[in-house]
Every structure is written in C-alpha cells, then in structure tokens.
Amino acid sequence: MSTAASLRGIGRQLDDAADLGRVLDGLLAARPEPPALLALGEPTHGIEAFPLLRNEILGHLVERGYRSIVLETDVFAASIVDDYIAGAMAEIDAVLATGFSHGFGAVPGNRELVEWLRAHNAGRAPQDRVRFYGFDAPTEYSGAPSPRRALSSVIEYLPAALRPESVHELDALLGEDTDWSNPAAMFDPAASIGDSDRARALRIVADDLASTLRRAAPDLHRADATGYAHAVAHARTAQSLLRYHAAMASPAPDRIATLVSLRTEMMAENLLAIVAQEQRRGPSLVFAHNLHLQRTQSDGEDKVSWGNAGALVALTLGERYAFLATDAKPDSDPDTLQGVLANATTRRALFPTPALRAALPPSIGPGEPILPGHIPLTPAELDGADAVIFIADTDGNRHQYW
C-alpha cells in the first residue's frame, strides 16, 4: 500500500464541526486518563487558520466541561481580558491592546475569541464561566522589565505583620526601572545590572516573600483564594525575573540558550499553577507555538539540552497532559511530511502520531516553511505529540499583528 493510501486510512477528516467534535471525543476517550491540560500548537503566529481552529475546538470542549483557555501571552496582562469576559465594562479595542502581549491582540481570531467568551459567560455563575489566562513570562525580545511590580504587589498583599525585614530597603535596591529595561542588556552582558550587589540582594527579598506566602498559605488562601493566587504568581515571577536578569549579565557562551530556557521555566510553572487553580472546575485548553508545547527536548547552543514547557509540564502531569500539533503547507513538495499529509487531507484532518510514524517511510523529511517564522513539523518531532492536525485549506498568509 502506498504512503498516501495508508495516511488516508489513518487520517480522521475534520471537514465540519460535527466531525471535529466526534474525532476529539474519540481521541480523548481513548486516553488512559482524561487530560487536565490539553495543548494545541501552531507552527507560526499570525496565520488565521490556526486560531480559528482553536476557537472551534474550545467551543466543543466547553460543552465537555473545560472551563479555561490559556494563551501564549503575558501572565499579568491576561487578567485584563479575564476581567472583561467576566463582565467588566471596557472597550474591546482597549482590552485587545492591553490584555495581550507581543501584539497578539491583533492576531485574527483573538477578537472573536474574546467576544465569544464574554457572551458565553454572561449570566453564568462564576464556577461555570470560562476563564482566560496567559502563561508567558512578562518579557519581550528586547529585554526584561524591572521586578518592581511583582515584588511590590506581594508586599502590598501581605499583612504588615508578615512582611519580612528584607523588604524595607526595596526602593533603594530597585533604583530606576530603566536600569533594568535597558535594551542593550539583551546583547551586551556588561549593560545588565543582573549580577550587581543590589540585584543579588533582591533575590533574597524575592525568596523571603515567596517563603512567607507558603508559610502563611492556610490563612491567606482561606481569606481570599483569588488574591492569594495572584500574590503567589507575582512572587514566582519576581524570582524568575531576577534569575533572567542574572543570566543576561552572564558572558557565558550559552547565554541566549539559558535565557530561552528560563522563559520556558516560567511558562511551565505558570501552566502548572493554572492547572492547580482550575482543578476543581475543569480541564484547560492551552494554545501556543508547537515548539513550546511538544514533549521533546529543545537543543540549546553547544548541544546543551533544555526542556521546553510541554516537556516540563508532562513530567508532572504525565498522561494528564495531551498535545495536538498542527501544521499546514499550501503546494507542499509531495515527497515531504507536509506533502504526504496534504495529499491525505481534504480540508483538515487529524492523524494519531503512533499510526502516522508507522506509515511514514524512514527517508521522509520536512517541507519548506510557508513564510519566515513558520517552523514545519519534522518526523522526529512527531514523538512529542499525541496527534497532528493538518490544515490543507489555508492560503498561508500571515496577518501583520505587530
């Protein structure tokens, strides 16, 4: 039997909403444990077909008890969206501009997502609403912010009697926020203050605050569970930002790979915190780049291997973590992975990866990118996913969102 014929037998066509729901239900029912976190990847940002697929999948999963959506956006900015979909009065354009980092509010499908969530939640009890989360670190490619906001938020939350002695010199240790956000520090370790005496002292402050929250957790959580969760997120972020700034100040040859891995660590910690927070309400759907969510390792410079967020989360969740990768390629070379998937897909199709790997010839390789920034799936990466959804009916155009 030819590869194309084998794949047509393996692929489960997702030509309409009924097909999509039926295939998703079957895939999830076959797992040893129901996922607490279902991850849906995309191979690049800005191509409309992927977030629109996400929206369609979310609509079905909400009917099956899912109660949160998590996106690759700033963990704190996302609270603006969460407030809006819970009924807060605001202009949606402002919500999209400030509630998403990286310019993602302008990505096609995100306005529709926010509008749908607000309409769905209207009139529902809090336990039945779908919540919106971000799981990315509050960093950008140009650098990282001061830890002031994160540290100050924890201090303001804590009762005065619980505040550790180390916080009393906070303003002097922080200095000017521009000292931390200097864009030159991303490329020149000498421009970073991350290894200064005051930065090292701030790491003690952050550790003291995190320890205080853990030790006082029973009373603080009982008094205000939401406020406690926010304070813990700020403490966790303060510690992570200070580690990130310390790495920015390092002249080590694997410096950039270390920075990427620290961002990944923040992502994984945020995802696990969301799963823990949502465990009594229902599972979560997370949507991000394939590279962040797959279970396989990411090779850093000099072959240093760092775990990506999916690999780190899967260590804790095991079978309760499931990952669906996606890809697309109009006019693919028929001898590539994308080409054979395209030939077996009418509109969209899901391919379980164990059967897919078994049907592929050993010599097959990945196709060419659709456009700069698209990272086509490779055969080796299939081991990091439970299934692949291939989209054949997209033009592959990226909408400018930044």
Side-chain angles (χ1 to χ4, degrees):
M1 183 183 295
S2 68
T3 299
S6 296
L7 293 186
R8 281 192 288 273
I10 293 167
R12 302 168 186 176
Q13 302 301 322
L14 311 176
D15 291 335
D16 55 33
D19 289 340
L20 180 67
R22 183 174 59 255
V23 171
L24 276 177
D25 287 346
L27 184 75
L28 297 179
R31 295 184 61 78
E33 294 184 66
L37 186 63
L38 175 60
L40 177 69
E42 62 176 350
T44 190
H45 301 308
I47 294 179
E48 187 175 33
F50 301 113
L52 291 182
L53 172 67
R54 172 206 64 199
N55 293 354
E56 194 174 342
I57 288 175
L58 177 65
H60 178 77
L61 292 177
V62 167
E63 296 178 358
R64 298 296 186 264
Y66 280 63
R67 289 296 178 264
S68 55
I69 173 73
V70 190
L71 299 191
E72 183 186 341
T73 193
D74 183 323
V75 60
F76 298 121
S79 64
I80 296 171
V81 180
D82 192 51
D83 288 343
Y84 178 75
I85 65 173
M89 296 304 297
E91 293 294 330
I92 189 169
D93 287 337
V95 172
L96 293 170
T98 59
F100 291 82
S101 56
H102 317 310
F104 285 168
V107 169
N110 281 342
R111 176 183 291 269
E112 293 84 350
L113 172 66
V114 172
E115 291 175 337
W116 184 86
L117 288 168
R118 184 176 171 94
H120 173 84
N121 287 342
R124 295 180 187 269
Q127 65 268 23
D128 293 326
R129 294 174 188 159
V130 179
R131 295 201 60 186
F132 181 95
Y133 293 97
F135 76 103
D136 205 353
T139 60
E140 293 287 351
Y141 296 112
S142 58
S146 165
R148 181 187 304 276
R149 175 188 176 190
L151 291 168
S152 298
S153 295
V154 183
I155 294 168
E156 292 167 5
Y157 166 79
L158 284 172
L162 293 182
R163 295 171 187 171
E165 288 293 324
S166 58
V167 308
H168 294 157
E169 301 297 323
L170 184 65
D171 285 337
L173 293 174
L174 285 168
E176 298 296 325
D177 287 352
T178 52
D179 295 343
W180 300 89
S181 58
N182 180 6
M186 180 57 75
F187 306 99
D188 180 7
S192 171
I193 67 167
D195 195 37
S196 64
D197 289 343
R198 56 194 177 106
R200 287 193 290 272
L202 283 168
R203 294 181 76 172
I204 295 175
V205 174
D207 185 68
D208 286 348
L209 289 170
S211 174
T212 299
L213 286 171
R214 287 193 296 270
R215 287 180 285 130
D219 285 343
L220 294 175
H221 187 275
R222 181 169 55 250
D224 179 7
T226 299
Y228 179 77
H230 288 168
V232 169
H234 278 101
R236 183 172 65 245
T237 299
Q239 292 177 301
S240 298
L241 281 176
L242 287 162
R243 286 195 294 270
Y244 195 89
H245 280 289
M248 290 178 74
S250 170
D254 64 344
R255 174 176 176 269
I256 297 300
T258 299
L259 290 172
V260 171
S261 73
L262 286 169
R263 178 195 175 200
T264 291
E265 180 188 26
M266 288 187 254
M267 287 179 156
E269 289 179 340
N270 289 334
L271 283 172
L272 289 172
I274 292 165
V275 169
Q277 188 171 338
E278 288 291 317
Q279 62 182 333
R280 290 182 175 84
R281 294 195 332 119
S284 301
L285 173 68
V286 57
F287 179 73
H289 199 289
N290 285 330
L291 292 183
H292 294 313
L293 299 176
Q294 61 194 19
R295 292 191 188 86
T296 50
Q297 296 291 93
S298 300
D299 288 334
E301 296 176 10
D302 298 328
K303 303 299 182 181
V304 175
S305 183
W306 302 106
N308 52 32
L312 294 174
V313 168
L315 282 175
T316 297
L317 296 184
E319 290 294 339
R320 295 188 301 133
Y321 179 74
F323 171 48
L324 310 180
T326 66
D327 206 354
K329 179 61 169 76
D331 304 319
S332 301
D333 181 330
D335 295 325
T336 64
L337 173 61
Q338 286 67 29
V340 295
L341 290 175
N343 286 336
T345 303
T346 55
R347 181 189 171 211
R348 305 174 305 198
L350 181 144
F351 300 87
T353 50
L356 176 58
R357 285 302 305 268
L360 292 174
S363 60
I364 200 164
E368 294 296 319
I370 299 172
L371 39 69
H374 170 232
I375 303 177
L377 286 172
T378 68
E381 289 170 340
L382 298 179
D383 290 337
D386 295 284
V388 173
I389 298 177
F390 192 83
I391 301 177
D393 67 343
T394 175
D395 58 15
N397 290 331
R398 172 183 287 133
H399 295 254
Q400 196 78 13
Y401 60 86
W402 62 89

